[in-house]
Structures are given as structure tokens and as C-alpha cells.
Amino acid sequence: MNTPQSAQIDPDELAPEAPAEKPPTAKKGEGKSLDAIFGVKLDVRVVLGRSRMPISELLDLTKGSVIELDRRIGEPVDIMINDRMVARGDLVRVQGDMLGVALREIVKDFITDA
């Protein structure tokens, strides 16, 4: 039968480690990489138009019902990100029957001075 052997413990191994040196602080203009936010998901919506109606009318809607919007054909659509309008654009056809939006203008209120 094998008997357990005693292990040799070095007292230096039990001593707490010295604190790691602090990394040098970034100088002005350094370390402003956008890589950290590229994976953040945002809610993007394209608003064709709006309409107001009583709940009773809403409950009467069926397949094929038409809802009149407050926009005319050819007017730009609103591009919303997280419930904030950031741009306007035109509907375009992409890849057969798919729709896309070609940006026409960026809303100036969205751009803030940093």
C-alpha cells in the first residue's frame, strides 16, 4: 500500500501577492475606442405615418381594413432609434419585394455638441 507523502510548503507561496501596478492613465484623446459599444443593440423603427382612432374602431379592424395615415405618398418616413427621431428617408425597393430606407436627412436635434 502506498503511504501519503508529506508535501513541502514554501512560506513565500502563502504570502499575499504584491498589488499589481496601476496601468498608466490614458492621455487626453487616447482610449476613446468605439469598439466597446459596437455590440449594443438598439430599437430601430421606420414610421410610415400615424393615425388616431377610438378603441371601438380599432377592435373592428379585420384583414384588408385600410387605416388612413397622416402622410401622403412620396413624403419621407421617420427613422426612430429608441423612441427618438434621428433621420428622415425615402422607401426604396431592395432585393425583389423587400423594402429599405434611403436616408434623406439627419435630424439636427439628434446631433449634440460634445
Side-chain angles (χ1 to χ4, degrees):
M1 248 178 124
N2 293 337
T3 57
Q5 298 177 355
S6 61
Q8 295 291 330
I9 299 176
D10 184 0
D12 291 336
E13 290 180 11
L14 298 177
E17 292 183 26
E21 291 183 28
K22 291 182 181 178
T25 58
K27 295 179 183 176
K28 188 174 181 180
E30 290 181 5
K32 293 188 177 183
S33 174
L34 294 177
D35 293 339
I37 63 170
F38 283 157
V40 175
K41 295 186 185 239
L42 301 172
D43 178 38
V44 179
R45 291 182 291 136
V46 176
V47 179
L48 301 175
R50 300 178 194 276
S51 181
R52 292 184 63 95
M53 65 178 64
I55 292 176
S56 59
E57 221 177 285
L58 178 70
L59 294 173
D60 288 338
L61 294 176
T62 60
K63 184 176 180 178
S65 295
V66 175
I67 300 172
E68 187 176 334
L69 301 175
D70 62 351
R71 302 262 174 98
R72 300 187 191 286
I73 294 175
E75 285 187 30
V77 296
D78 296 337
I79 293 97
M80 311 283 288
I81 297 179
N82 289 348
D83 295 325
R84 187 172 181 183
M85 187 168 76
V86 297
R88 290 188 184 91
D90 297 318
L91 291 177
V92 295
R93 183 183 302 214
V94 291
Q95 297 181 353
D97 61 347
M98 302 291 288
L99 287 177
V101 177
L103 294 182
R104 177 186 277 193
E105 67 176 304
I106 305 294
V107 177
K108 292 182 182 179
D109 291 342
F110 178 70
I111 302 171
T112 58
D113 294 330

